[in-house]
Amino acid sequence: MSSQPLVVEEWRRVILHVDADAFFVACEQATNPRLKGRPVVVGRERGIVTAASYEAKARGIKRGMRIWEVKRLCPEAIVLHSDYEKYSLFSVRLGEILREFSPQVEQYSIDEAFVDLTGLRRPSHSSYEMLGRRIQEAITTELDISVSIGISLTKVLAKIASREGKPGGLTVIRGREIHRHLERLPIAEVWGVGPNTAAWCAKLGINTALDFARRSEGFIRSHFSKPFYEIWQELNGTVVYPVRPEPKESYRSISKVRTFAPTGDRSAIYAQLSANLEDACFKARRYRLAPQRLIVLLRTQEFEERAVELRLSTACAYPIILGRFVQKGFEELYEPGRVYRQTGVMLTNLVAVRHTQTSLFEDQVQLERLERLYRAVDGLRTRLGMEVVAGGWALRGPAPADRLKIPMVNIRV
């Protein structure tokens, strides 16, 4: 079959697709460099492989394989429990990096995103390919993970391009080059085409993506339903699926919960809650994120659960500051005479630290001192363990309620 261009116009629209390589494992290797270059598997808690490093894949380990099979096949494999909160935080950071290049970013899944780059060549003083490489370098530098990038006229074509360059590659499919990339791609590997549709295509003499794209519009409409007509349009360079920016409200949260021996002691319960806050804030700072809202939770011995949500006047991840808000929530929830068995703190509406704005009434010198303080604390915790240092403010228990003054706080019970 001769290869004739499908689309003459070079760039109708420019869509970039980012696909993280072995994302779950990459997150584990980024936070624990000793795992790099080794066969690593995630999914111990489920008993099956949910993700595997490329080193593990090279030894024959596949997704869905049982853990006991992994150990038999590769005794030196490192098998880890999944940490979905960690992966969500990496995903949030990935989205923030992409938004530095374009406001139109759609986080399609935890490890994938689409970015509309249309018209950004001139303001960025670079070609679309160079812009893609800058994005790739920024992600690798800031997150220490590998991503594959595809750039083309539509989402479907961009997804084909990113898959072509895995792992760690960057592929550009220009309008005049679409046919060259589709002619060697089985129709079953096109995004949105399942096995049943692929079998139907085979009966119609359609084996590759190019076979499908070259059929007439009338043929496609008469033999396929609307979703596949839309895929046909996208393969031919017409945008049907625009990039839909993700609202910030959909960002993930950080939660820390502690279950302990049932007690009614006010100071002991508050100490547990304070430890929740310390751990949650440590994780937020690790990913350079700060919450705009905070949820405090108490659960009784009878498993009755109550929680309050507080809006913060300034997004930050410093327990010394957030402790006042936690205490306010604690005062709303705690009932003398009741026995409690669990506490929890959730940081929500996360934003990148560099996007936060401080109030004109806040002491900038104090904030700089806090930043230096917690940088030192985080360094000690990272090297020596979480228990090596804790906030002394939490040890003295909650202050009297009448001394608690917190402006600009909205509480929902």
Side-chain angles (χ1 to χ4, degrees), residues 364-378:
Q364 297 300 316
V365 175
Q366 181 188 27
L367 290 175
E368 290 174 6
R369 288 175 177 170
L370 284 176
E371 184 178 351
R372 291 197 300 271
L373 168 65
Y374 280 104
R375 194 182 304 130
V377 168
D378 294 345

Side-chain angles (χ1 to χ4, degrees), residues 90-102:
F90 266 87
S91 183
V92 170
R93 291 289 299 120
L94 175 64
E96 290 287 353
I97 293 169
L98 295 175
R99 288 181 184 86
E100 293 178 7
F101 294 89
S102 170

Side-chain angles (χ1 to χ4, degrees), residues 110-337:
I110 195 170
D111 61 347
E112 291 182 73
F114 291 99
V115 185
D116 193 327
L117 300 180
T118 308
L120 295 183
R121 276 188 298 190
R122 182 171 295 178
S124 65
H125 305 290
S126 61
S127 67
Y128 289 124
E129 181 174 357
M130 290 174 60
L131 189 54
R133 294 201 181 281
R134 285 168 52 194
I135 291 173
Q136 194 173 42
E137 290 170 5
I139 294 170
T140 301
T141 300
E142 292 202 34
L143 299 184
D144 197 20
I145 64 173
S146 168
V147 296
S148 299
I149 286 182
I151 302 174
S152 194
L153 288 77
T154 68
K155 280 185 175 180
V156 172
L157 290 171
K159 211 165 177 4
I160 290 171
S162 66
R163 184 173 180 178
E164 212 171 279
K166 268 190 168 293
L170 187 149
T171 302
V172 179
I173 301 179
R174 296 173 176 83
R176 293 178 179 270
E177 301 170 350
I178 293 176
H179 60 291
R180 297 175 185 169
H181 295 267
L182 301 189
E183 64 184 354
R184 56 179 180 267
L185 181 70
I187 186 63
E189 294 183 15
V190 174
W191 182 34
V193 177
N196 292 334
T197 303
W200 173 236
C201 285
K203 289 181 172 62
L204 297 173
I206 298 173
N207 298 305
T208 67
L210 185 60
D211 294 339
F212 185 77
R214 278 191 167 154
R215 293 301 177 104
S216 69
E217 180 177 351
F219 178 89
I220 296 297
R221 282 183 174 276
S222 63
H223 290 83
F224 296 90
S225 58
K226 182 182 177 182
F228 301 103
Y229 170 61
E230 293 173 344
I231 292 172
W232 176 84
Q233 289 177 291
E234 288 252 332
L235 288 174
N236 280 279
T238 300
V239 174
V240 180
Y241 309 126
V243 173
R244 302 186 183 280
E246 180 184 45
K248 290 188 176 182
E249 285 73 16
S250 64
Y251 280 7
R252 305 299 196 275
S253 60
I254 298 174
S255 60
K256 292 296 176 182
V257 176
R258 283 175 177 243
T259 301
F260 44 86
T263 179
D265 185 271
R266 183 171 183 268
S267 295
I269 298 167
Y270 183 73
Q272 295 287 349
L273 199 59
S274 301
N276 294 146
L277 179 65
E278 289 277 356
D279 293 347
C281 285
F282 172 73
K283 196 159 193 174
R285 293 193 303 272
R286 187 173 191 175
Y287 298 99
R288 288 178 286 175
L289 297 168
Q292 295 175 307
R293 290 179 180 269
L294 182 149
I295 296 173
V296 179
L297 174 150
L298 293 182
R299 178 174 289 176
T300 69
Q301 173 66 358
E302 293 77 26
F303 291 90
E304 293 179 13
E305 186 176 294
R306 293 183 66 209
V308 295
E309 180 178 347
L310 304 99
R311 187 180 66 229
L312 308 180
S313 54
T314 298
C316 83
Y318 300 140
I320 287 179
I321 294 177
L322 298 189
R324 296 173 298 154
F325 295 88
V326 168
Q327 182 175 346
K328 181 66 175 178
F330 177 76
E331 298 294 346
E332 288 286 331
L333 297 174
Y334 176 76
E335 298 179 30

Side-chain angles (χ1 to χ4, degrees), residues 22-26 40-43 48-53 56-57 61-64 78 80 82 84 87:
F23 182 61
F24 290 177
V25 171
V40 180
V41 166
V42 169
I48 61 172
V49 176
T50 56
S53 66
K57 291 177 181 178
I61 297 173
K62 300 178 181 179
R63 186 176 179 179
I78 301 170
L80 305 175
S82 304
Y84 293 105
Y87 312 148

